[in-house]
Amino acid sequence: MSRSLYFRTVLVFVLVVIFSVTLSYYVSSLLFRNKGEAQMQDDMLTAGHYTIQMFKETGVKNPDSYITRLALLQHFIFLLYDETGEVKTYPVSPLPPEENRPIDKSVIKYVLDGDNYQNRAPQKKPLDELIGLPFQVNGKPYALFVQLNVSARSADLEKTAAMTLLLVLAIGSLTALIASRYVVKPLLKLTEATSRLAKGDFGVQVNVRSKDEIGLLADSFNRMSKELGQIERMRQDFVANVSHEIQTPLTSIRGFSKALKENVIADEDRGRYLDIIQTESERLSRLVDNLLRLASLESEHHPFTPAVYDLGEQLRKVMLSLDPLFEQKGVEWDVDLPGVKIFADEDQLYQVWVNLLRNSIKFTPRGGSVAVAIHKDADGVSVSVQDTGIGIREIDKTHIFERFYKADVNGEEEAAGNGLGLAIVKKIVDIHEGIVEVYSKEGQGSQFVIKLPNRAEM
């Protein structure tokens, strides 16, 4: 059967109290035996002298009653011997067998002759003290012996110890119940909050003000909850963006396909409609490819195969492959590509240059230009892609590397892209432990600088 933390806290506290009190009892008993012996002998001497004084006081009526009460209160046994050897015991009631400790006759005679007697109890029986005091009444010698009433004193000690234990347990248990609520209450809050978080409530926060480990745990939980909330919002935005990006070309494809199927389009428009269908299909294909590529890059299992190759040669190949787009758009291009060897993943960086150059071509008007340059220094290699296009607004600079973010161009969202190109660029550069710098002003063109560090060859 599972136990709550509250129950276990109280149980552990009670067990600790029991152990502590028990240990304290045995330690106190040891100290009593070792250090209380001298005080016990003084008490026995005091009681003996008081008893002798009672016998000598002629005006005291019924001294036996007083002496019996004294013996019972102080847990002593008084043995009174006269010169004939007869003994009178106080208290008068029969003693238990363990208290019947006979006194040697030589010791009795020693005290009757007028000498004090005091023995030392053996180490194993520290309570077996014996004191003998001589006195005379009306010229007759008497010997008064004082012993400890071991059974009565032990019973009294046990009773005191039991009462102390019960009192400590009662107070300790009550304290544990109160204290444990303060300890367990924050954990109960965390448990409830965790349950709500598991059900999808990512806005839940735990209000714990303590600065101890529980407080640190609550702070970590609150940060985790906020981060999960952000991830959930990103997921929802991602699903909405993907749905929108997929739905738009599908709508065009479905609409124009239906029109072509119903033969309601003039022959001169059929080619244009087929071109639109082909364009939207290619757009949809690029979207799926980019989504798969980005998902693969963000996973821990994406292949990363760096090798030494010529960066300048790679960029020249990219420029040549994009030359038809430059010609179609009427954009000039200029390159400064010295031969530079780097150690990187060639396929991944190829995708970076293609994405950057396609963006430059897309946002550079006819008659503009795009310049690509390589610069090498002691820190690494940098590649600059600069255009004379429309530039980037300040409000857009902080978002252009976000997935599906598309800047507003001339009051309309640029529809030709899907907002994933620069996100892929940023991810690939991060994998290579590089950085992406953006310099741009609205209406004055843009410059993207990719800085790659020097990497040791494998």
Side-chain angles (χ1 to χ4, degrees):
M1 179 179 180
S2 62
R3 303 291 185 180
S4 67
L5 179 61
Y6 182 73
F7 174 82
R8 284 181 287 166
T9 303
V10 174
L11 179 61
V12 170
F13 185 87
V14 172
L15 292 177
V16 169
V17 169
I18 293 175
F19 174 78
S20 301
V21 172
T22 304
L23 182 62
S24 300
Y25 172 75
Y26 286 108
V27 173
S28 300
S29 300
L30 183 62
L31 292 175
F32 173 76
R33 291 175 181 177
N34 293 337
K35 297 184 179 181
E37 183 178 344
Q39 181 63 43
M40 187 166 37
Q41 292 173 352
D42 291 341
D43 292 342
M44 293 171 68
L45 284 172
T46 301
H49 287 303
Y50 180 77
T51 303
I52 292 173
Q53 188 66 30
M54 294 291 294
F55 281 114
K56 289 183 177 181
E57 290 287 343
T58 56
V60 177
K61 296 180 179 181
N62 193 14
D64 291 348
S65 176
Y66 288 100
I67 296 171
T68 298
R69 284 198 295 272
L70 177 63
L72 292 173
L73 287 174
Q74 297 197 1
H75 305 304
F76 291 146
I77 298 174
F78 297 108
L79 302 172
L80 181 62
Y81 289 87
D82 60 15
E83 57 184 345
T84 64
E86 291 186 6
V87 62
K88 193 172 184 179
T89 304
Y90 302 90
V92 182
S93 58
L95 297 175
E98 63 271 13
E99 300 295 348
N100 189 9
R101 301 186 292 273
I103 303 173
D104 192 88
K105 290 181 179 182
S106 62
V107 175
I108 298 174
K109 185 179 183 302
Y110 180 78
V111 177
L112 286 173
D113 290 342
D115 294 312
N116 291 337
Y117 175 83
Q118 183 174 350
N119 81 328
R120 288 287 180 178
Q123 185 65 24
K124 292 184 179 180
K125 295 183 178 181
L127 296 179
D128 291 348
E129 298 284 346
L130 178 64
I131 292 178
L133 299 173
F135 70 97
Q136 291 184 354
V137 177
N138 297 327
K140 294 181 179 182
Y142 291 92
L144 178 65
F145 289 91
V146 184
Q147 291 180 332
L148 283 176
N149 191 338
V150 179
S151 59
R153 183 171 288 263
S154 299
D156 185 64
L157 288 174
E158 292 173 0
K159 181 179 179 181
T160 302
M163 292 297 296
T164 303
L165 177 61
L166 290 175
L167 182 62
V168 171
L169 280 177
I171 296 175
S173 299
L174 180 61
T175 304
L177 287 172
I178 297 174
S180 298
R181 293 189 66 86
Y182 287 99
V183 174
V184 177
K185 188 176 181 180
L187 296 179
L188 294 177
K189 289 183 178 179
L190 280 169
T191 301
E192 180 183 358
T194 303
S195 178
R196 292 173 56 187
L197 187 67
K199 296 178 181 178
D201 183 2
F202 298 107
V204 62
Q205 294 285 291
V206 180
N207 184 20
V208 177
R209 299 180 180 178
S210 61
K211 302 300 181 181
D212 54 11
E213 290 80 357
I214 296 179
L216 294 176
L217 178 62
D219 291 340
S220 299
F221 177 87
N222 290 336
R223 289 196 300 272
M224 179 188 69
S225 178
K226 290 180 180 179
E227 291 174 1
L228 287 176
Q230 293 175 354
I231 293 174
E232 175 62 15
R233 287 190 292 272
M234 291 173 59
R235 184 191 68 81
Q236 293 176 354
D237 292 342
F238 176 80
V239 172
N241 288 327
V242 169
S243 300
H244 172 73
E245 293 295 331
I246 291 178
Q247 185 64 34
T248 301
L250 284 179
T251 300
S252 299
I253 293 172
R254 183 171 56 250
F256 288 113
S257 298
K258 184 178 180 180
L260 290 171
K261 183 179 180 180
E262 294 176 352
N263 293 320
V264 294
I265 303 174
D267 291 340
E268 60 271 16
D269 293 329
R270 295 178 68 85
R272 183 168 61 88
Y273 279 25
L274 289 172
D275 290 339
I276 293 175
I277 292 175
Q278 181 179 355
T279 300
E280 294 299 322
S281 299
E282 292 173 352
R283 176 184 172 188
L284 186 59
S285 178
R286 286 195 304 270
L287 172 62
V288 174
D289 289 341
N290 286 336
L291 283 174
L292 293 175
R293 183 176 294 108
L294 188 58
S296 178
L297 289 170
E298 292 179 343
S299 71
E300 297 180 356
H301 306 291
H302 183 78
F304 180 69
T305 54
V308 177
Y309 71 94
D310 191 321
L311 178 61
E313 181 65 24
Q314 181 187 46
L315 282 167
R316 279 190 287 271
K317 290 180 179 179
V318 173
M319 296 298 294
L320 289 175
S321 68
L322 296 176
D323 187 63
L325 289 180
F326 282 102
E327 292 289 340
Q328 180 182 350
K329 189 70 180 290
V331 176
E332 300 291 331
W333 55 274
D334 181 49
V335 296
D336 181 11
L337 305 175
V340 175
K341 298 289 186 179
I342 65 170
F343 183 69
D345 190 310
E346 186 173 0
D347 291 338
Q348 290 186 8
L349 287 185
Y350 188 93
Q351 187 67 48
V352 169
W353 316 134
V354 169
N355 288 1
L356 289 177
L357 287 168
R358 281 183 176 274
N359 273 1
S360 293
I361 296 172
K362 182 193 307 180
F363 296 109
T364 299
R366 182 174 295 276
S369 64
V370 175
V372 182
I374 296 177
H375 176 71
K376 181 176 177 59
D377 56 26
D379 296 328
V381 178
S382 62
V383 176
S384 169
V385 178
Q386 186 172 6
D387 62 56
T388 58
I390 61 176
I392 303 172
R393 298 181 304 173
E394 288 295 326
I395 193 173
D396 294 323
K397 283 184 180 180
T398 57
H399 301 288
I400 57 176
F401 295 108
E402 297 176 5
R403 290 180 296 183
F404 296 107
Y405 185 83
K406 292 185 285 187
D408 208 21
V409 181
N410 296 327
E412 294 183 2
E413 191 177 293
E414 177 61 40
N418 50 47
L420 293 176
L422 290 180
I424 293 174
V425 168
K426 182 68 168 57
K427 187 62 182 179
I428 293 176
V429 174
D430 287 343
I431 291 175
H432 284 77
E433 300 178 356
I435 58 175
V436 183
E437 295 179 350
V438 181
Y439 306 94
S440 179
K441 287 186 179 182
E442 189 174 7
Q444 299 182 20
S446 302
Q447 181 185 17
F448 285 81
V449 179
I450 309 299
K451 294 184 177 181
L452 301 173
N454 288 323
R455 297 172 61 93
E457 296 184 16
M458 296 179 63

